Amino acid sequence: MPHYTDATKRFLLTAKHAEIAALKQLSGNCRLVISLTNVIHQLQRERGASNVYLCSQGNRFASQLQAQHTQSIQSETTLKSHLNSMYLNEAEQAGNMRLLGSIALALQGIDNVSFLRDQITKTNISAMDATQAYCRLINSLLAVIFEAADVASEPAITRRLVALFNFIQSKEFAGQERAWGAIGFAKTHFNTALCDRLEHLQQQQQFHVDIFLEFCDDHARDLWRQTEQSEATRQQIRLRTMIKQLADGSPIDGQLSEIWYEVASSRIDEMQTVEEWVTNALITLTAKRLQHANQSLKNHKIRLRKLSAQPTNLEQPPTVLFDPAAPGLQDAETAPVNTATNNNFTVQRSFYDLLREQSEHIREMSSELDAACQALIDQKAIDRAKLLLMQQWQLTESQAYRRLQKHAMEQNMRIADIAGRVVNSAAGR
């Protein structure tokens, strides 16, 4: 007779089924992320073209903007179709509450972006207001990716999602730099405030790239190094240097806005290549993890069948009750491990062996998951701290971040740790 009941066996297998179900949901989330990244990329291009169009009073980029509208609408249609197939079916209750809530908010923005496009086409909105509107929409889409990473339950996949989220965030700041630079060139002058804002965006790009490099794979790192050494990056660095020299408000040729736009767009397109690699690698990894989990379930069933047919001749059954490695009485001395009995367990390949293996697998996954999710926790703390500082001291976002950065440097601490202190202080902890 095996030393377990049918109910215990079923819970062992149900735990494995739950892992597979979570991986299937995660696989769907990863495919959703790919649709989201495409929409974000198209909106970023649309935002940049709109900047040039509006700052030139509609004299430049009219045809490019209309073509970009078509590309953006196609990507939005694909995203909506994907969301409908994933969530709006007979089981609409399925899914994570925060993730679904962030999807609803982002979709509401997409539902109304046609009004923004109409305002831009008629030049009834300023470049500044249009840029802000696009940034808010893109940030709502980024929030969906953040939630998809935050609810992930598999450490290797979570690491890649964290890498992808931070790379997309860096790319978004690169897009905002393109937008602000286009505004400055199109207005034919820069000032200290605008130059400071551009420098802040460059710092934010590097901040998120550093996190990306920590969590991505080796090939993605190599692709990023190639981007850093590309001609587009070198040209943008030269234009950045020019902008710094124009901080005094010296007049410049407005046609430079198109040069800036093309150079910045070339670099962002190169970043898109890296982004596509990471997203495709993510889908491949998810498929492999799912295949491995299904194979593990099959192996469990095979081993259980063999155990059921195997006679048990141990006086003491292998069980958590007498496992010296399992937690017991706090601070009590335990008897030495019975090597002969342990060897017998190994030969018998007991049901308890299966339980211990699965328990260890879950424990290792939880530990790795905690490490992978720390970057997401840090990001939440920084975002929350910035908002608190902005509300308390009437600061801009860049000013709030610099205040956190300054305190972190003065106290030789991570920005995330300083942000945590700000959040805890506001909560009275």
Side-chain angles (χ1 to χ4, degrees):
M1 287 288 293
H3 293 287
Y4 58 87
T5 64
D6 183 64
T8 305
K9 179 186 76 172
R10 288 171 63 188
F11 271 105
L12 170 72
L13 295 176
T14 299
K16 184 58 68 174
H17 279 295
E19 179 184 351
I20 292 171
L23 281 169
K24 287 180 178 178
Q25 181 63 48
L26 188 53
S27 177
N29 286 353
C30 290
R31 290 193 297 271
L32 168 61
V33 166
I34 291 178
S35 295
L36 286 163
T37 57
N38 188 37
V39 174
I40 290 171
H41 182 66
Q42 299 302 335
L43 288 173
Q44 287 168 337
R45 292 185 65 86
E46 184 178 328
R47 177 181 57 194
S50 297
N51 292 145
V52 178
Y53 178 81
L54 289 171
C55 288
S56 67
Q57 297 299 311
N59 293 321
R60 299 194 189 102
F61 269 43
S63 59
Q64 292 96 320
L65 184 58
Q66 290 304 312
Q68 187 55 52
H69 284 169
T70 301
Q71 293 292 321
S72 297
I73 291 169
Q74 287 177 353
S75 67
E76 291 159 11
T77 301
T78 300
L79 173 62
K80 288 180 178 179
S81 175
H82 196 161
L83 289 169
N84 288 341
S85 64
M86 280 187 66
Y87 297 108
L88 300 187
N89 48 38
E90 294 179 359
E92 289 190 19
Q93 300 86 356
N96 178 273
M97 176 182 65
R98 296 197 317 271
L99 176 60
L100 295 176
S102 62
I103 289 172
L105 185 62
L107 280 179
Q108 199 275 341
I110 291 176
D111 289 341
N112 290 278
V113 73
S114 59
F115 173 78
L116 173 63
R117 289 174 179 140
D118 185 59
Q119 293 292 98
I120 291 169
T121 301
K122 296 176 180 177
T123 63
N124 288 341
I125 188 173
S126 69
M128 182 72 69
D129 289 341
T131 298
Q132 287 279 32
Y134 279 115
C135 287
R136 293 186 186 107
L137 177 55
I138 290 170
N139 282 334
S140 71
L141 294 166
L142 282 168
V144 179
I145 297 177
F146 183 92
E147 292 298 341
D150 199 25
V151 301
S153 57
E154 209 283 339
I157 296 173
T158 301
R159 288 181 64 87
R160 301 294 175 83
L161 279 169
V162 170
L164 179 59
F165 168 77
N166 279 278
F167 191 80
I168 296 170
Q169 185 69 76
S170 178
K171 183 163 153 281
E172 165 57 10
F173 285 125
Q176 291 189 25
E177 181 189 8
R178 174 177 61 186
W180 281 110
I183 290 173
F185 278 116
K187 288 186 174 181
T188 69
H189 70 276
F190 287 83
N191 54 38
T192 301
L194 181 52
C195 288
D196 288 345
R197 186 174 288 113
L198 289 168
E199 184 177 358
H200 171 69
L201 289 169
Q202 293 159 23
Q203 292 172 350
Q204 287 291 288
Q205 290 172 57
Q206 189 59 51
F207 173 80
H208 287 283
V209 162
D210 289 342
I211 299 175
F212 160 74
L213 293 173
E214 179 182 351
F215 288 96
C216 70
D217 60 39
D218 290 339
H219 185 71
R221 289 190 189 93
D222 291 339
L223 287 175
W224 175 246
R225 292 189 185 102
Q226 293 173 22
T227 299
E228 286 185 306
Q229 298 167 5
S230 70
E231 179 60 26
T233 298
R234 286 194 290 268
Q235 288 181 6
Q236 186 164 31
I237 290 173
R238 287 195 288 269
L239 287 170
R240 285 173 175 174
T241 302
M242 176 193 298
I243 290 172
K244 287 181 181 179
Q245 296 170 346
L246 297 169
D248 59 0
S250 300
I252 51 177
D253 186 350
Q255 291 186 355
L256 284 172
S257 63
E258 294 187 28
I259 296 175
W260 165 263
Y261 178 84
E262 291 300 329
V263 169
S265 294
S266 295
R267 179 171 176 268
I268 291 172
D269 287 343
E270 290 175 353
M271 294 180 75
Q272 176 71 1
T273 301
V274 180
E275 184 180 300
E276 288 173 354
W277 160 261
V278 177
T279 53
N280 290 331
L282 181 61
I283 292 298
T284 301
L285 176 63
T286 305
K288 287 181 178 178
R289 285 291 189 270
L290 187 56
Q291 182 182 23
H292 181 270
N294 279 311
Q295 185 59 50
S296 179
L297 175 62
K298 291 180 182 177
N299 292 340
H300 274 33
K301 291 179 178 178
I302 292 170
R303 289 171 65 178
L304 284 170
R305 284 198 295 270
K306 289 181 178 179
L307 286 169
S308 297
Q310 179 178 294
T312 303
N313 54 13
L314 296 176
E315 294 181 4
Q316 177 177 298
T319 171
V320 69
L321 299 176
F322 307 109
D323 184 355
L329 182 64
Q330 192 72 27
D331 295 329
E333 292 186 9
T334 58
V337 177
N338 189 325
T339 306
T341 303
N342 277 357
N343 288 339
N344 203 2
F345 282 10
T346 303
V347 172
Q348 296 276 341
R349 297 307 297 167
S350 70
F351 177 74
Y352 184 54
D353 287 328
L354 270 176
L355 290 175
R356 287 191 302 183
E357 288 173 13
Q358 183 150 296
S359 177
E360 181 63 17
H361 170 64
I362 294 172
R363 187 195 65 78
E364 289 178 355
M365 283 181 61
S366 297
S367 178
E368 293 175 17
L369 191 60
D370 289 343
C373 287
Q374 187 59 50
L376 298 173
I377 295 170
D378 290 347
Q379 185 64 50
K380 285 182 178 178
I382 292 171
D383 289 344
R384 178 61 179 158
K386 284 193 299 186
L387 181 60
L388 289 169
L389 292 175
M390 289 165 66
Q391 292 173 342
Q392 182 176 359
W393 301 102
Q394 288 74 53
L395 303 174
T396 65
E397 183 178 359
S398 61
Q399 289 171 336
Y401 181 80
R402 282 177 181 153
R403 180 168 293 195
L404 292 173
Q405 192 178 46
K406 180 175 179 292
H407 286 301
M409 292 177 63
E410 290 174 348
Q411 300 182 41
N412 195 28
M413 295 175 63
R414 298 187 314 140
I415 292 180
D417 293 332
I418 294 294
R421 286 187 177 184
V422 172
V423 173
N424 289 336
S425 176
R429 294 197 292 265

